[in-house]
Amino acid sequence: MQLTQSYDGTGHVDFVGAGPGDPELLTLKALNAFERADVTLHDRLISDEVLALAGKTAQLVNVGKAGFGPSWKQEDIDALLVEHALKGQRVVRLKSGDPTVFGRLDEEIEAVEAAGISWRIVPGITAASAAVAGIGQSLTRRGRNSSVRFLTGHDMKGFADHDWTALARAGSVAAIYMGKKSARFIQGRLIMHGADRQTPVTLIENATRPDQRILETTLDQLPTDLNAADMDGPTLTFYGLAPRQATAALTEFKKEHA
């Protein structure tokens, strides 16, 4: 965590990771910052259960972004952070998962630094760690993969390009954020670079939440199965990992006894 010095009379900004959605996965430091905030600017994907933990007098402002849809402009979010902090308010910028993972954190830090406002990063559990726990797997394993890639399915220019040759190698594991709309593009690039069509792919929708869903498929069937599943919640894609059968059975048991 880092902290910069502010000028006298200004507020403070905490960049806080809200985790994947389950309020019990908030850290104590995150909860403390959230409860003490005068105003919270939060992502679209923050769960209602987490938002319910805000202080009674806190102002909640939804500054969410939606891929390929209507969104707040980044410069407007930056300006709002500065505006509230310069009023002397304690501001929380609440981000889904961990603020350091695909969270546009640097742009917002640069804005508050330029205004002489103090800030701090409060890390959270990122979606990859939470979702992989939901399928009973590990992101790395001896003899299988000594590294794991965190990728985004799309960026400011459209579908994101990656080192497809490295990803196509046997044993590769990748956690793909925002990968639903780019599923067919990813499939095509991987197969073009020699990936085995039977490579396991697992998608976890609404990880850690009561309505979590798990889709087990293969690279060959990815777009077809994803389209049939009609997943409309936040979804993380694991390339190279399949759910452990015991975990899948436990998920079904919970559904039957809910």
Side-chain angles (χ1 to χ4, degrees):
M1 288 179 285
Q2 301 179 40
L3 185 67
T4 61
Q5 297 300 312
S6 66
Y7 301 132
D8 292 339
T10 62
H12 172 83
V13 176
D14 283 326
F15 297 96
V16 178
D22 182 348
E24 292 186 349
L25 293 178
L26 277 171
T27 67
L28 292 176
K29 189 178 289 292
L31 182 59
N32 180 262
F34 190 35
E35 289 177 334
R36 295 173 60 194
D38 297 308
V39 59
T40 293
L41 311 184
H42 64 88
D43 283 350
R44 179 178 60 89
L45 299 179
I46 305 297
S47 69
D48 291 339
E49 292 79 9
V50 169
L51 292 177
L53 299 175
K56 292 182 179 179
T57 61
Q59 178 184 358
L60 298 177
V61 182
N62 185 341
V63 293
K65 292 179 175 291
F68 301 98
S71 302
W72 271 67
K73 294 181 180 178
Q74 185 61 54
E75 55 266 31
D76 292 339
I77 298 174
D78 298 344
L80 201 57
L81 284 169
V82 171
E83 176 187 334
H84 283 289
L86 289 178
K87 291 177 181 176
Q89 293 179 311
R90 183 182 292 271
V91 182
V92 160
R93 176 66 174 101
L94 195 63
K95 295 175 177 283
S96 182
D98 183 89
T100 68
V101 180
F102 303 122
R104 301 196 181 190
L105 178 63
D106 292 283
E107 297 167 64
E108 295 176 8
I109 287 176
E110 288 163 6
V112 298
E113 276 192 328
I117 298 162
S118 67
W119 56 272
R120 176 180 62 162
I121 300 172
V122 181
I125 295 176
T126 189
S129 296
V132 80
I135 61 171
Q137 285 285 12
S138 172
L139 287 169
T140 58
R141 178 174 177 172
R142 285 192 303 167
R144 183 191 67 198
N145 66 304
S146 58
S147 65
V148 60
R149 292 172 174 83
F150 285 17
L151 313 176
T152 179
H154 61 84
D155 56 24
M156 295 176 66
K157 298 179 181 178
F159 295 145
D161 236 333
H162 300 287
D163 185 350
W164 302 112
T165 300
L167 285 166
R169 294 184 187 126
S172 294
V173 172
I176 305 172
Y177 291 67
M178 300 168 282
K180 287 187 297 184
K181 293 183 182 296
S182 56
R184 189 172 295 278
F185 171 80
I186 291 169
Q187 177 203 49
R189 287 294 187 273
L190 285 168
I191 291 174
M192 183 188 304
H193 287 80
D196 186 341
R197 288 177 175 266
Q198 298 309 308
T199 300
V201 178
T202 304
L203 296 96
I204 300 94
E205 178 188 35
N206 297 321
T208 77
R209 305 184 189 195
D211 56 349
Q212 173 178 289
R213 285 201 298 162
I214 298 171
L215 173 63
E216 182 178 3
T217 184
T218 63
L219 181 61
D220 186 59
Q221 287 294 115
L222 172 59
T224 302
D225 289 349
L226 178 57
N227 184 62
D230 193 27
M231 291 180 159
D232 58 5
T235 302
L236 193 132
T237 303
F238 286 110
Y239 171 75
L241 291 180
R244 290 187 187 275
Q245 292 307 310
T247 304
L250 177 60
T251 300
E252 291 303 315
F253 176 82
K254 288 180 178 178
K255 287 180 181 178
E256 292 172 5
H257 293 79

